[in-house]
Amino acid sequence: MDQLNFALASAGSSELIFACALIGALGIGAQWVAWRIQAPAIVLMALSGLAVGPLWTVVFGEPLLNPEKVFNGGSNELLRPIVSLAVAVILFEGGLVLKFENLRDAGAAVRRMVFLGGPLAWALGTFAAHYAAGLDWGSSVVFAGVLVVTGPTVIMPLLRQSKLGGRTGQFLKWEGIVNDPVGALFAVAAFEIIRVAATGESILGKGAMIIVAAALGVGLGFAFGWAIVRAFRQGWTPEYLKAPIIFASIILCYALAEMIEKEIGLVAVTAYGMTLANSRLAGLAELRKFKEDIAVLLVSGVFVILTANLTPDVIRRALTWNTLAFLLAMLFIVRPLSVWIATFGTLKRNEAILLGWIAPRGIVAVAVSSLFATLLEDLGRRGDSRFYFSGAEQITPLAFAMVFVTVVLHGFTIGPLARRLGLARKERPGVLLVGVNPWSIDLAKVLKDVGIEPILADNNWRRLRPAREAGLNTFFGEVLSEEAEVRLDHAAFDQVVGLSANEPYNALVSGHFAPELGRHRVYQLSAQDTEEEDPRAIGMGTRGRTLIRRGRGYDSLIRDHYRGWTFGKTKLTDEYDLEDYRKDRPKVDLIAEIRPDGTLTFLGPNREAKGGEGVTLISFGPAREVEVATEPEEIAAD
């Protein structure tokens, strides 16, 4: 008997290990494929889970991955605690970017959308869920609260894809950041009220207890945040332990708050994240990066688990006319009305039309919806419950349907609609040149001459004066500051080049923009003016990609510029190819090449020019070489 039990335990352990490996591979694999093909990651992650769950069941009779069986087998129920902890970390990460000053910087439209539009969308969504989807009132109130969110993880890729910037882009960005935790808090409040009513307790007395518990949860989150800030500022913790301490403290904060009152843990961890976000804690950017990495892992895993846990029967029951009516109501009634009413008088007509349509839902909507769906089902099965929540089992598939439809539909329509309304940029994203000097100004001129819109950024107003006088687009301020997150239009560029005289500063700029744009799109000048390795130079892993070549640093470029070197552009043809170009110009430095479709590629080590018909080369060299006549299109920059 002991041997049999051991064999069964070993089999269960192997199945659990395989399930964890499969979840990780599918989740991160979907994220990578989405990055490669520039598709919404959230859709591919959901498709991965559906493929190994309900679709595998239809084809082979049983799922390849059955989270309910794997994590809830035996005497332990692990699935809901795993999802709950994952949602807690995700909400903490959302709170970590929610700063009080953001509401001021985002403008009146966002503030009205949060404080007026949020509750209005919650109320209208409740009616849509009840009358269109057929959910009971309790499930409708909870579900509609969650659907208020429009997470930044799905908004930001859409903004870059559609070239939507300016005030409209800022509105969508900040609405997503602020509403991400707000929707979850709506759901928590609604569930607690419903739980009290369902168990027959005094709503007035229990309501007061819930308010007190929520206040305690907020206080607990604030206390954790204050303690961490003080410990980090006083140097009580080493640098290498800061991120692990944050992660462990999130779990502890959530667990302690749950002991006070169920689901108050979500409030506590959100308050914890907000406390850190508003603390001006040094090194918070590095901690935020760690939290983003953890959130990516959890988002991927949770999405695969939740979709794989769906059954063919649940999906069939969700594919009804009621679901279609619910989606249509949310898309064409709830969102437009809540936006138009809340922002009346603050937006132009074309802005209101676009904002009333674009509202993609993301991971928070699905994760929190699934969590509360399980809680409502458990509450309905309890013997002391007055209610049976008939719509609770439909919440998860409805949430996935909402995510699929909004991400796909809004993803395909935001670009054409923004262009039709005159809100999208007509030109492709340009390049941000950080550090203004005579060399970078002339580089910006020649880039603009070939159709690439440069933005010259510097925190010195005097250095920016020649660029302004030349009619170039400039940004006055520190690109690493929090102010730049609001004032600098990030949709206007998709590459960054550090061109200041300060090598460590260029490396900081590259590291700041690398997570957003990708490390392959951030560049900086060589660390020194010799090709020999300098052991004192900044490591390659913490700087941007080298522009031009190693050994071509700031000092030598400025020196040659004052000696009369200049920028030029040359368009290659069949008769005059890259080899001919190199023979005519042996001394020039190749800066970049522009493909016929307008794609800009900065050149450097391991990024040699490829050439080809119609390719335009940007060069820097002696005037007698740059000005060699080859084609009518070739001119030298002033």
Side-chain angles (χ1 to χ4, degrees), residues 209-284:
M209 291 181 60
I210 291 173
I211 294 174
V212 172
L216 290 175
V218 172
L220 185 64
F222 173 78
F224 266 79
W226 178 85
I228 289 294
V229 169
R230 181 169 177 79
F232 286 4
R233 283 179 175 166
Q234 296 296 326
W236 295 344
T237 57
E239 289 295 323
Y240 73 93
L241 279 182
K242 286 184 176 180
I245 287 174
I246 289 286
F247 185 72
S249 63
I250 296 171
I251 307 301
L252 180 59
C253 179
Y254 176 78
L256 292 177
E258 287 291 289
M259 295 174 65
I260 298 174
E261 185 72 27
K262 289 295 184 182
E263 312 317 323
I264 295 299
L266 300 179
V267 178
V269 295
T270 303
Y272 181 10
M274 291 172 59
T275 303
L276 289 185
N278 292 276
S279 66
R280 300 187 180 276
L281 179 65
L284 190 59

